[in-house]
Amino acid sequence: MLIYIVEDEASIRELESYALEKSGYDVQCFEEPKTFYDALKVRTPDLILLDIMLPGDDGLTVLQKLRDDRSTEKIPVIIISAKTTELDRVKGLDLGADDYMCKPFSVMEMVSRVKARLRGVRDKSSGIMCYNGIMMSEDTRTVTAGDMSVELTYKEYELLKMFLKEPRIVLRRDDILNRIWGQESTGRTLDVHIRTLRGKLGEYGKYIKTVRNVGYKLDKDE
Ligand code: CA
């Protein structure tokens, strides 16, 4: 997942990019809209963090341009600005900002809002999720790993879906258990399912990493 940050203040830029990179996202920063526009032509990000007071075009103009262009109109945009007046809030939202945060902001909250936005995008998309050769189609409820078709039980499928929705993010054991099994589960249930899921994914099974004492994550890197 790629996130573009447009922010002219270096300290805020660094704060944002550090937190997002730590959460497993790829981040590219821009001090001004001009270089950001150039980068947009090269790669489309999954989400944009946008400041309002910027050199050159201001953030609202940038947002307007994004929404007026078919290739960028659907990219989620979170506006992060020092301008706290209600007017700016409304203006930002009218132009189609997906969320809005005022400086100073909590980095934790920023990351959680980014995650929420990206989850929303995934859910509304074509229903296909991929990670390094593992592909899941929500429409047909099928999974492939490389060229191989993979038969999963209901719980295994739900487990893999959790990983594919948040690749490279560590999922805590308790969270996984709660979300998939509810109350009637033990940690052992999870471990057994992880083991069979890894087995069924063949050589791709190794991407499901154990994070000792915490949980699991889907990550091709160590
Ligand atoms: Ca600024």
Side-chain angles (χ1 to χ4, degrees):
M1 286 267 176
L2 175 66
I3 297 175
Y4 279 177
I5 296 174
V6 193
E7 168 64 65
D8 59 331
E9 255 173 87
S11 59
I12 296 177
R13 214 162 51 225
E14 279 157 23
L15 196 71
E16 292 172 351
S17 64
Y18 178 75
L20 290 169
E21 276 168 0
K22 254 185 81 181
S23 302
Y25 297 109
D26 293 324
V27 178
Q28 215 173 321
C29 295
F30 306 92
E31 290 173 44
E32 43 149 22
K34 222 161 119 300
T35 47
F36 163 73
Y37 292 140
D38 291 338
L40 267 184
K41 289 178 201 142
V42 182
R43 243 183 111 186
T44 306
D46 297 285
L47 184 138
I48 297 164
L49 288 188
L50 182 61
D51 183 24
I52 288 194
M53 300 284 277
L54 291 164
D57 283 353
D58 70 20
L60 294 178
T61 308
V62 173
L63 180 58
Q64 183 79 68
K65 285 186 179 173
L66 289 168
R67 292 301 177 245
D68 286 345
D69 185 331
R70 284 191 72 172
S71 63
T72 56
E73 65 181 358
K74 293 212 166 67
I75 305 173
V77 175
I78 300 179
I79 286 184
I80 298 188
S81 170
K83 283 184 144 192
T84 53
T85 62
E86 203 57 38
L87 178 68
D88 283 315
R89 184 178 292 259
V90 171
K91 263 168 99 182
L93 293 174
D94 276 350
L95 287 173
D98 297 86
D99 206 346
Y100 192 105
M101 293 186 78
C102 290
K103 296 173 190 170
F105 56 90
S106 136
V107 173
M108 296 275 283
E109 194 190 340
M110 184 272 289
V111 171
S112 83
R113 290 206 197 183
V114 165
K115 281 187 190 170
R117 276 299 137 204
L118 289 173
R119 250 198 302 274
V121 167
R122 284 285 168 117
D123 290 344
K124 274 184 264 148
S125 74
S126 63
I128 291 185
M129 292 183 277
C130 304
Y131 183 80
N132 280 280
I134 303 172
M135 194 172 85
M136 171 178 277
S137 165
E138 278 275 79
D139 298 335
T140 55
R141 227 181 147 80
T142 50
V143 174
T144 52
D147 304 329
M148 182 178 70
S149 158
V150 183
E151 294 289 325
L152 298 180
T153 64
Y154 180 81
K155 300 285 193 200
E156 289 160 1
Y157 180 93
E158 293 301 313
L159 189 54
L160 181 61
K161 188 161 93 177
M162 274 186 78
F163 286 122
L164 286 169
K165 274 188 175 174
E166 291 180 287
R168 296 166 71 189
I169 307 273
V170 178
L171 304 178
R172 304 183 63 87
R173 296 177 62 86
D174 291 354
D175 284 346
I176 303 176
L177 282 166
N178 273 328
R179 276 158 68 179
I180 297 184
W181 282 275
Q183 300 302 318
E184 23 95 35
S185 61
T186 65
R188 167 135 181 81
T189 312
L190 175 59
D191 297 331
V192 169
H193 277 77
I194 291 279
R195 203 179 313 140
T196 51
L197 181 57
R198 277 182 182 141
K200 287 182 177 183
L201 291 171
E203 61 177 299
Y204 296 86
K206 63 177 184 289
Y207 294 157
I208 299 176
K209 302 265 168 33
T210 303
V211 182
R212 197 176 281 274
N213 295 327
V214 183
Y216 296 97
K217 65 174 176 174
L218 181 65
D219 197 340
K220 71 178 168 56
D221 303 317
E222 282 311 316

